Amino acid sequence: MTRTDDGAGADAPAPSAPERTRRQQYERRQLVRSIVTAALSTIAFAALLVFVVSRQERWPDVRDAFFDGGVFGDSFRPILEAFWLDVRIFLVCAPCILVFGLLVSLARSTRSPVLFPVRALATVYVDLTRGVPVILWINLIGFGVVALLSSRSFFGGYLFWGGVTLVWTYSAYVSEVFRAGIESIHESQRAGARSLGLSTWQTNRHVVIPQAVRRVVPPLMNDFVSLQKDVALVSLLGPVEALRRADVIQDRTFNFTPFVVAALMFVSVSIPLTRLADHLMAKERRRMSGTAVR
Amino acid sequence: MSLLSYRRVRKSFGTRVVLDSIDLEVDRGQVITLIGASGSGKSTLLRCTNLLEPIDDGEIWFDGVDISEPGRKPDPVRRRIGMVFQSFNLFPHMTVLENVTLAPRKVLGRHRRDADDRARAMLDRFGLADKADDYPDRCSGGQQQRVAIVRALQMDPEVMLLDEITSALDPELVGEVLEVVRGLRGQGMTMLLATHEMAFAREISDQVCFLKDGRIHEHGSPEQIFTMPARQETRDFLARVIASGRM
Ligand SMILES: Nc1ncnc2c1ncn2[C@@H]1O[C@H](COP(=O)(O)OP(=O)(O)OP(=O)(O)O)[C@@H](O)[C@H]1O
Ligand SMILES: [Mg+2]
């Protein structure tokens, strides 16, 4: 038997604290190692990519056509200004779509025979709208209605009717998301509310819809990420938003860099939106599984 | 006159007959327990009473009115009949206080202040004062079920329907909920309850109904049903319950 501390430690069961530190040290080493490995491999990969691409015979042409620094600098401001129109269209259309989509989903889930026509109409609307490409609706409503109205006011203009088309088409998709949410609320919630004497409408208003809306926030976010891009379709009708402005500059310069600039702007909005959607979805999943365990 | 009376009540789901010529009288202040195997129709009878399910034939009278009359509006009836479910059915997106005050405010038109004061007072009496501002998933099962009882009581019901309100609870939480039911009995509340807790049924009931395949096979005082059941089916059921250790 030795008199060192080590010897004493070997006699008694090792306390847990030093063991944890060892584990922590190990994990820290692993973490540093994987960060360094990832960084080195990324640098190597990027270098390889740059090397291969720049060695291509046509690379200078590609660079000049898509990544022209001068055109980039000149077109950035005008395109950004035009992009502001995209943002405004989005900000106006999104709330309209939420409200209209919710109304359609409620119309589809009514039971009363008096409301049968409303229910049928809503069903036809959703089927029809989702069955036709958005771009076709833009032509149909955008050009069609504006031609019919032949008025010069804002409410007779392409911008207004382009926005109406977006609301019209996206509400159909969004209403289906809401409907799925409403149907996912368990029947026992309705029974609980009705047993207290709440009417059908009060049950919907206070018990079903609030829970359904919470549940569908993540899938709704996905639809709004697509909406944010499809706003550019309004440019087909003429309003000068980012894509249109880029198109005009491209026509003048014979250079595609303006499109890259516009693409960067859309991406700068859609990537954060997508990440937010992912985050919300993960949060909802955690919440749901937490409830299930309980 | 009975507060609740069932006359030849019949109910089927598709071709399956779930309630078959049920006759039952419930007087004011009485506690009536429904016992019987799983699937015998206990929950269905309670749900029909609260008009959550329509009956096919027969009548259910409540306070001198045929509430089973086809086409009758259910909401005015439901607000006088409280119901508590096996799985609580609390609203998860509302706090305990909001759960409990929603119906008094929206249905009875009580002002928020008034509804809140009454609710807090009752939550306090039921030992739930510190839970008032929590969400239901922050409460234990026993607490959730007591909240559900308070929620029904806040409507000042004339009868309470309790559907296996302790079946979803851990054994150690059953007692606190049964204690609440004892308290209600003490206050003279009319109650109709479905339960698998035989000892409790024996203790609390004025009458016990044994259901099998949608029929009331035997009906009498707890002493009679539990100590000298007349029918073979009842004896078999109680023997199975005893064998499974639930009595
Ligand atoms: N909505 C429904 N649709 C079809 N069948 C149903 C429905 N509700 C109940 N049933 C059937 O009716 C029968 C009686 O069910 P009920 O829930 O009333 O039984 P119970 O006595 O409450 O049973 P438990 O003790 O398991 O709660 C069962 O066979 C059940 O499958
Ligand atoms: Mg049941």
Side-chain angles (χ1 to χ4, degrees):
Chain A
M1 176 86 357
T2 60
R3 281 177 290 140
T4 63
D5 289 346
D6 282 343
D11 276 344
S16 59
E19 203 175 40
R20 240 196 340 265
T21 342
R22 215 171 59 190
R23 161 120 245 143
Q24 282 167 344
Q25 280 171 353
Y26 170 77
E27 276 168 1
R28 163 144 310 172
R29 270 201 313 276
Q30 286 296 310
L31 181 67
V32 170
R33 184 173 301 173
S34 52
I35 290 175
V36 170
T37 314
L40 286 179
S41 118
T42 308
I43 291 170
F45 190 75
L48 185 69
L49 199 69
V50 167
F51 179 73
V52 169
V53 169
S54 60
R55 290 295 294 269
Q56 296 302 307
E57 218 175 304
R58 302 285 312 269
W59 167 243
D61 298 344
V62 172
R63 191 190 51 208
D64 294 345
F66 290 96
F67 305 103
D68 187 316
V71 177
F72 190 101
D74 291 343
S75 63
F76 190 84
R77 243 202 104 92
I79 294 179
L80 185 64
E81 277 162 14
F83 186 66
W84 176 229
L85 180 62
D86 289 276
V87 173
R88 275 179 301 167
I89 296 175
F90 177 79
L91 289 180
V92 172
C93 288
C96 297
I97 288 166
L98 280 177
V99 171
F100 194 56
L102 183 59
L103 288 178
V104 171
S105 70
L106 288 176
R108 289 198 73 182
S109 44
T110 54
R111 300 266 173 278
S112 150
V114 180
L115 295 178
F116 175 79
V118 177
R119 190 157 61 239
L121 205 67
T123 309
V124 170
Y125 157 72
V126 171
D127 288 348
L128 208 65
T129 307
R130 299 202 312 160
V132 173
V134 178
I135 194 161
L136 218 158
W137 281 117
I138 294 268
N139 282 296
L140 220 85
I141 300 182
F143 286 122
V145 174
V146 174
L148 267 180
L149 288 178
S150 64
S151 126
R152 295 253 177 77
S153 76
F154 172 74
F155 294 105
Y158 288 113
L159 182 58
F160 176 75
W161 286 98
V164 168
T165 313
L166 288 177
V167 173
W168 171 264
T169 49
Y170 267 80
S171 294
Y173 292 96
V174 165
S175 80
E176 285 298 276
V177 173
F178 275 129
R179 199 162 68 103
I182 288 172
E183 280 171 8
S184 77
I185 303 302
H186 197 266
E187 197 48 42
S188 63
Q189 285 289 306
R190 276 180 205 277
R194 298 308 302 275
S195 76
L196 291 164
L198 291 160
S199 66
T200 317
W201 167 243
Q202 288 172 324
T203 300
N204 272 328
R205 159 82 182 72
H206 298 289
V207 176
V208 179
I209 295 177
Q211 293 186 64
V213 167
R214 249 162 264 217
R215 211 168 275 188
V216 299
V217 166
L220 276 183
M221 290 296 294
N222 282 334
D223 279 348
F224 283 109
V225 171
S226 337
L227 171 69
Q228 185 265 335
K229 294 172 293 176
D230 280 354
V231 164
L233 290 173
V234 172
S235 71
L236 291 175
L237 300 170
V240 182
E241 50 70 68
L243 175 58
R244 187 74 174 190
R245 176 64 51 81
D247 198 27
V248 170
I249 300 175
Q250 190 268 333
D251 273 353
R252 205 175 55 222
T253 58
F254 302 107
N255 189 288
F256 295 98
T257 308
F259 288 133
V260 174
V261 174
L264 284 177
M265 286 172 194
F266 282 104
V267 157
S268 72
V269 174
S270 67
I271 289 184
L273 268 182
T274 314
R275 286 294 159 278
L276 181 62
D278 287 348
H279 171 73
L280 292 174
M281 203 119 43
K283 209 166 114 184
E284 177 71 8
R285 214 171 17 244
R286 269 201 305 279
R287 205 182 64 78
M288 295 296 283
S289 58
T291 318
V293 169
R294 215 180 295 113
Chain B
M1 197 186 59
S2 306
L3 179 60
L4 254 179
S5 79
Y6 300 79
R7 303 182 188 164
R8 298 178 316 284
V9 170
R10 201 184 145 81
K11 166 80 187 169
S12 344
F13 288 112
T15 55
R16 194 191 151 84
V17 178
V18 178
L19 294 177
D20 195 2
S21 67
I22 298 283
D23 282 301
L24 182 66
E25 301 284 325
V26 184
D27 290 335
R28 250 180 226 282
Q30 269 200 325
V31 176
I32 300 206
T33 308
L34 308 172
I35 60 171
S38 187
S40 55
K42 306 181 295 291
S43 298
T44 308
L45 185 62
L46 296 179
R47 290 173 66 87
C48 288
T49 310
N50 204 16
L51 308 183
L52 288 172
E53 299 281 358
I55 61 174
D56 300 337
D57 203 4
E59 294 160 7
I60 301 176
W61 287 70
F62 173 61
D63 197 20
V65 177
D66 177 8
I67 58 172
S68 59
E69 190 184 6
R72 172 174 292 280
K73 284 219 175 313
D75 297 337
V77 178
R78 290 192 183 124
R79 74 184 64 156
R80 301 172 59 191
I81 301 181
M83 178 139 184
V84 183
F85 302 84
Q86 180 174 350
S87 50
F88 326 141
N89 300 13
L90 294 177
F91 310 131
H93 61 300
M94 296 183 183
T95 64
V96 164
L97 189 68
E98 288 165 348
N99 262 277
V100 167
T101 54
L102 177 67
R105 287 174 50 214
K106 301 300 167 188
V107 178
L108 303 180
R110 275 187 202 152
H111 290 295
R112 164 166 254 147
R113 231 328 166 30
D114 183 25
D116 282 2
D117 289 348
R118 289 177 194 233
R120 282 189 192 277
M122 191 181 280
L123 287 170
D124 192 25
R125 259 190 291 132
F126 282 62
L128 295 162
D130 56 333
K131 289 289 168 188
D133 301 308
D134 279 345
Y135 285 88
D137 64 2
R138 283 302 179 113
C139 301
S140 74
Q143 289 168 336
Q144 291 188 45
Q145 193 58 293
R146 285 183 285 150
V147 171
I149 295 173
V150 171
R151 185 174 73 173
L153 288 175
Q154 283 293 303
M155 295 295 286
D156 299 324
E158 290 159 60
V159 55
M160 287 282 277
L161 310 173
L162 311 179
D163 188 6
E164 288 188 36
I165 59 172
T166 57
S167 294
L169 298 179
D170 292 336
E172 73 268 23
L173 300 177
V174 168
E176 63 188 58
V177 172
L178 294 185
E179 194 52 42
V180 169
V181 181
R182 283 190 195 99
L184 289 179
R185 190 203 156 87
Q187 292 162 25
M189 174 64 78
T190 313
M191 287 186 280
L192 194 52
L193 48 118
T195 187
H196 287 296
E197 304 276 340
M198 296 303 154
F200 182 66
R202 185 167 183 172
E203 163 204 333
I204 202 161
S205 315
D206 295 303
Q207 295 179 57
V208 177
C209 294
F210 169 63
L211 266 81
K212 183 172 191 284
D213 300 330
R215 283 175 170 273
I216 297 183
H217 271 253
E218 190 162 357
H219 178 200
S221 69
E223 287 69 35
Q224 188 214 316
I225 298 283
F226 289 111
T227 57
M228 40 184 178
R231 309 266 309 229
Q232 188 58 41
E233 291 92 341
T234 319
R235 284 198 284 273
D236 291 346
F237 171 71
L238 291 174
R240 274 203 308 279
V241 171
I242 290 166
S244 68
R246 279 188 295 170
M247 189 164 138

